[in-house]
């Protein structure tokens, strides 16, 4: 019987015309490799079906019935609800779950993946990760089973399962609502612009304004950090200027709660003087006073679906990548009402 020896890193290097060290750098997602060299290495690895010692095959032969879930900020209730959905779907499929919080730090993400890959999990879900395509492609080509929740990598063509909300539509829903109430001086407190969901929500916000033949004032677009502190600081900037906004779209509920805290300390009445809308619909949104109008994401369902896709991929690693885009929903509460310009 003739058995084909599996390709080695040297075979990949020879085929790509690079050194074995370059192959290793590409497959470990090192950003210091030129896109042209990276592409040559990835094509050579795929052509040779390269799968080093910790490939899906070795992972599958060492099945642990455990999945890994990496989150940027476990203190943010948004990710806690995602994790709940992942855990329930994993348990129903007979998997236990290891959860890590990475603060969105790529190095911490790499560290976690390296330790998880040491045979302790069968597959890894990234929720809210800011992964670069090189890192992800390096794992995919090595046969590591991964999936994305909430955020895509910037390059749309990376062949990976993903479950997310239509963030462009969500941003448009928020601004349409404020415009429908009669507001014309709208501020947007964005998440970090390096994060795909923050950029997409801002695209939607601009689209909604353009639908009405108006444009957002760039001086009223403040970059936050998706944390309560970022909302508070952004509100302080906006209300330290002449001619402050009459409405604010905060791109997640944690920042909206920070805006609310600042306005309350400043004695500015919500919604009579300033309307406020958030994004996510975490449990605190309904509990805040006044209760927060927001754009709801199907958080628990996102987690469940992402775990189901990963479990199905572990059963059939050859299936084509799937991207599920779920719909956001406007949830009306007390922080937005009709506005009549003074
Ligand atoms: O609250 C955290 C934010 O970052 C959410 O809006 C979620 O979509 C993630 O992108």
């Amino acid at each position: 019987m003739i058995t084909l020896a599996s390709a080695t890193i040297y075979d990949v290097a020879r085929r790509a015309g690079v050194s074995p060290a370059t192959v290793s750098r590409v497959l470990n997602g090192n950003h210091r490799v030129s896109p042209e060299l990276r592409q040559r290495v990835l094509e050579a690895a795929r052509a040779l079906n390269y799968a080093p010692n910790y490939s899906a095959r070795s992972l599958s032969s060492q099945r642990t019935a455990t999945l890994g879930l990496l989150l940027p900020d476990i203190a943010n209730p948004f990710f806690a609800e995602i994790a709940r959905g992942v855990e329930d779907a994993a348990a129903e499929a007979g998997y236990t779950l290891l959860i890590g919080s990475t603060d969105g730090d790529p190095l911490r993400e790499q560290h976690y993946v390296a330790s998880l890959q040491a045979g302790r999990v069968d597959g890894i879900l990234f929720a809210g990760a800011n992964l670069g395509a090189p890192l992800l492609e390096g794992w995919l080509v090595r046969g590591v089973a991964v999936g994305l929740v909430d955020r895509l990598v910037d390059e749309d063509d990376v062949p990976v399962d993903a479950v997310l909300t239509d963030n462009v539509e969500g941003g448009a829903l928020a601004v349409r609502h404020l415009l429908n109430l009669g507001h014309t001086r709208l501020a947007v407190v964005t998440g970090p612009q390096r994060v795909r969901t923050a950029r997409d929500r801002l695209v939607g916000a601009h689209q909604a304004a353009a639908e009405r033949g108006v444009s957002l004032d760039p001086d009223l677009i403040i970059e936050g950090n998706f944390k309560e502190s970022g909302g508070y600081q952004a509100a302080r900037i906006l209300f330290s200027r002449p001619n402050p906004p009459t409405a604010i779209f905060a791109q997640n509920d944690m920042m909206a709660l920070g805006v609310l805290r600042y306005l309350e300390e400043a004695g500015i009445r919500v919604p009579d003087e300033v309307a406020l809308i958030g994004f996510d619909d975490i449990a605190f949104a309904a509990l805040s006073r006044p209760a927060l109008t927001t754009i709801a994401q199907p958080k628990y369902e996102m987690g469940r679906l992402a775990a189901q896709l990963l479990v199905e991929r572990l059963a059939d690693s050859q299936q084509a990548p799937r991207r599920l885009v779920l719909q956001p929903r406007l949830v009306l509460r007390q922080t937005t009402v009709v506005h009549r310009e003074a």
Side-chain angles (χ1 to χ4, degrees), residues 145-212:
V146 293
L148 299 180
V149 195
D150 171 65
R151 297 180 197 171
L152 294 171
V153 290
D154 292 345
E155 294 75 0
D156 265 338
D157 59 349
V158 176
V160 63
D161 294 330
V163 181
L164 64 152
T165 298
D166 182 341
N167 286 290
V168 173
E169 177 57 20
L173 273 177
V175 169
R176 276 190 210 115
H177 174 57
L178 297 176
L179 291 170
N180 289 341
L181 295 176
H183 292 283
T184 55
R185 275 195 66 69
L186 273 70
V188 181
V189 181
T190 77
Q193 283 305 294
R194 61 180 166 76
V195 176
R196 177 79 184 260
T197 48
R199 295 201 303 276
D200 286 352
R201 288 171 200 165
L202 189 55
V203 166
H206 283 301
Q207 283 179 358
E211 288 165 3
R212 299 293 179 83

Side-chain angles (χ1 to χ4, degrees), residues 15 49 66 70 86 94 136 197 237 304 321 323 340:
R15 182 179 182 110
N49 196 26
T66 305
L70 298 187
V86 170
L136 205 48
T197 48
I237 294 168
R304 281 193 66 90
R323 182 172 299 178
R340 288 179 182 75

Side-chain angles (χ1 to χ4, degrees), residues 9-328:
I9 194 168
Y10 301 99
D11 299 324
V12 174
R14 196 174 304 112
R15 182 179 182 110
V18 299
S19 69
T22 300
V23 174
S24 176
R25 277 200 297 274
V26 168
L27 298 185
N28 285 300
N30 186 308
H31 291 265
R32 287 193 298 274
V33 179
S34 73
E36 187 268 334
L37 273 192
R38 183 165 74 86
Q39 195 54 33
R40 269 169 47 195
V41 169
L42 292 174
E43 283 167 2
R46 287 192 190 105
L48 296 172
N49 196 26
Y50 173 64
N53 59 352
Y54 40 71
S55 69
R57 278 201 298 279
S58 68
L59 279 182
S60 60
S61 63
Q62 301 151 10
R63 285 278 180 192
T64 62
T66 305
L67 302 180
L69 172 63
L70 298 187
L71 312 162
D73 179 6
I74 207 157
N76 182 334
F78 170 84
F79 294 109
E81 288 196 51
I82 294 265
R84 182 75 255 186
V86 170
E87 184 167 40
D88 288 353
E92 285 164 19
Y95 286 87
T96 54
L97 189 64
L98 291 180
I99 297 178
S101 192
T102 65
D103 274 333
D105 174 351
L107 289 180
R108 284 184 67 176
E109 282 160 352
Q110 284 193 70
H111 161 74
Y112 259 110
V113 172
S115 61
L116 290 174
Q117 260 186 296
R120 266 178 282 177
V121 297
D122 298 335
I124 303 168
L125 279 178
F126 291 89
N130 306 309
L131 295 172
L135 203 54
L136 205 48
E137 284 191 326
W139 293 326
L140 291 171
V141 89
R142 293 203 309 259
V144 177
V146 293
L148 299 180
V149 195
D150 171 65
R151 297 180 197 171
L152 294 171
V153 290
D154 292 345
E155 294 75 0
D156 265 338
D157 59 349
V158 176
V160 63
D161 294 330
V163 181
L164 64 152
T165 298
D166 182 341
N167 286 290
V168 173
E169 177 57 20
L173 273 177
V175 169
R176 276 190 210 115
H177 174 57
L178 297 176
L179 291 170
N180 289 341
L181 295 176
H183 292 283
T184 55
R185 275 195 66 69
L186 273 70
V188 181
V189 181
T190 77
Q193 283 305 294
R194 61 180 166 76
V195 176
R196 177 79 184 260
T197 48
R199 295 201 303 276
D200 286 352
R201 288 171 200 165
L202 189 55
V203 166
H206 283 301
Q207 283 179 358
E211 288 165 3
R212 299 293 179 83
V214 299
S215 56
L216 298 175
D217 179 348
D219 288 341
L220 296 182
I221 298 175
I222 309 287
E223 182 171 353
N225 58 4
F226 272 151
K227 297 181 188 294
E228 194 267 3
S229 60
Y232 185 94
Q233 295 304 330
R236 181 158 45 180
I237 294 168
L238 288 166
F239 288 85
S240 63
R241 295 173 179 166
N243 200 12
T246 63
I248 298 174
F249 163 33
Q251 285 192 347
N252 81 331
D253 289 349
M254 292 304 287
M255 292 194 297
L257 295 174
V259 169
L260 213 49
R261 177 165 65 94
Y262 175 83
L263 295 176
E264 184 182 18
E265 288 175 4
I268 298 171
R269 289 172 297 123
V270 176
D272 303 350
E273 295 177 78
V274 179
L276 173 65
I277 186 167
F279 202 109
D280 289 348
D281 197 20
I282 59 176
F284 293 126
L287 303 176
S288 71
R289 288 297 171 263
L292 182 64
T293 294
T294 187
I295 301 297
Q297 294 200 69
K299 301 167 286 296
Y300 178 80
E301 185 188 0
M302 286 164 81
R304 281 193 66 90
L305 287 169
Q308 287 164 0
L309 292 185
L310 184 60
V311 167
E312 288 166 21
R313 176 160 301 285
L314 286 166
D316 172 9
S317 62
Q318 298 310 309
Q319 61 185 322
R322 287 171 291 177
R323 182 172 299 178
L324 306 180
V325 181
L326 307 183
Q327 289 312 304

